[in-house]
Every structure is written in structure tokens, then in C-alpha cells.
Amino acid sequence: MPTPTPTVVATPFPVPSETATPTPEPTPKSDLYSEFLNTFLGEMSHETDVPIRARGGAIVDGEWWIVVNMTDPTVNDSRRVAERGGLATGYIRAYQFYYEDNLDGKLPTGMRVLEVNNTSQPPKTFFVSNILAERVKSGNIQAPELVETYYSTRRNQTDREKEIVLGNDKQGSNITYGPDGNVSITDKE
């Protein structure tokens, strides 16, 4: 399997220019995703019920990979569930705007959420596909099935994903999104 080549995306938080594994592509190509990703970040910050601490992100093989510092499940598992919901809702709403012809540029093929490993548990990842986003857009899925569908993709991160997360976390800043549209730069925790 070839090593993915991430495209560094212009986002409100720093994204690494290089990591140990992937090599970023030239900025002009990454700019193709910027309108979608900025919409995602705005929608996520407005739609989440709890703060979401983002640590960076990149386009990898056409997917949007976002690195987040989720709440430790031993501290507050219900908040952790709400963080996942805010991320999924932000992506799905940006997808809807894209197909309402309100956004220019390129659409990622889906969103992979990668946790920073700051708990005693293995870091997890989950995926929101564009197929799922389309089902929401067309009204062919209800909230419980939506959550079940993206939650079913949850798994431990691969070694390659852990390396990318570590590279993003070392180079990026911690920006907290939401709730109610709030965006703030915060210290790494």
C-alpha cells in the first residue's frame, strides 16, 4: 500500500508542513479544500454542545484528517460522545452547504477524526463518509442510526496514524471550537 501524501490545508490553526511519514503537496492544491474546511470549522463551532479542542489537520489521500484532544472517557464519557457528535455534525453540515452550491473548491472524500493520545487507553479514530453525509442530506437516516453508523467505524489508530497525530500535535496550536460559535486559542493540555 503506498504511503499517503497529505495536502496541507489552509485552516485557522497551524498544520504541519512536514511530518515523519507523509510529504505535503504544494499550497495551490491544498487551497482547493480551504473553503470547505473553513465552513466545517465554523459549523462545528456553532453546532457543538461542548468545546472541541482541535490540534491540527491535513488532507490525506483526499480525506480530511482532523486531530483532536478529546476528553478522557474516565473523566466524562458523555462529553466525549458530544465531542464526536459536534465533529460529525460540522462535517455533515459543510457537506450539505457544498452541495447546495454555496461553496467553491474541492470536497474531501470523508473525515477521519484522530484523537491525541493523552489517556491510558489506545488512541481511537472514527470516520464520517460522504455516503453517510449524503444520507443525512437526503433525509434517509435518523439521528440514532447516524450515530451508530459513524460510531461503528471507531477503532484503534494504526502506527502510521499515530505518527501523523504526533507530528500535527507537536507543530500545531490548540484551538477550541464551540459551543455557540466560540473560537479560542488555548494552551495545550
Side-chain angles (χ1 to χ4, degrees):
M1 175 178 236
T3 302
T5 303
T7 304
V8 177
V9 179
T11 61
F13 51 92
V15 179
S17 59
E18 290 186 39
T19 62
T21 303
T23 305
E25 294 183 15
T27 300
K29 184 173 181 182
S30 67
D31 285 347
L32 295 174
Y33 295 94
S34 65
E35 192 168 343
F36 177 87
L37 295 177
N38 287 329
T39 300
F40 157 73
L41 294 169
E43 289 301 309
M44 178 180 66
S45 73
H46 280 282
E47 296 299 323
T48 184
D49 293 330
V50 297
I52 296 173
R53 296 170 295 165
R55 293 274 182 93
I59 296 292
V60 178
D61 291 339
E63 294 176 359
W64 166 232
W65 285 21
I66 184 167
V67 177
V68 294
N69 184 3
M70 289 192 151
T71 302
D72 186 330
T74 61
V75 173
N76 190 336
D77 198 42
S78 61
R79 176 173 164 165
R80 188 178 185 84
V81 169
E83 289 167 340
R84 287 186 195 116
L87 287 154
T89 300
Y91 186 85
I92 290 166
R93 287 186 52 83
Y95 177 92
Q96 291 171 332
F97 284 128
Y98 184 87
Y99 278 103
E100 290 171 357
D101 295 324
N102 293 328
L103 301 179
D104 292 325
K106 201 162 180 181
L107 174 71
T109 58
M111 175 182 67
R112 175 151 310 279
V113 176
L114 299 138
E115 299 178 12
V116 173
N117 189 12
N118 62 356
T119 70
S120 60
Q121 304 295 315
K124 302 291 185 192
T125 182
F126 71 91
F127 187 72
V128 177
S129 70
N130 286 355
I131 293 169
L132 180 59
E134 180 59 33
R135 288 183 65 199
V136 172
K137 180 174 131 333
S138 61
N140 292 330
I141 192 169
Q142 299 300 314
E145 186 183 359
L146 166 65
V147 173
E148 183 179 303
T149 301
Y150 71 74
Y151 195 81
S152 71
T153 68
R154 193 171 153 266
R155 62 167 171 75
N156 291 340
Q157 290 176 18
T158 65
D159 288 340
R160 189 183 106 231
E161 289 167 342
K162 289 177 194 175
E163 288 177 21
I164 291 172
V165 168
L166 185 60
N168 265 272
D169 192 39
K170 283 182 179 178
Q171 296 178 33
S173 63
N174 190 15
I175 296 186
T176 301
Y177 293 89
D180 301 321
N182 294 315
V183 177
S184 60
I185 297 175
T186 54
D187 294 330
K188 288 189 178 185
E189 299 170 9

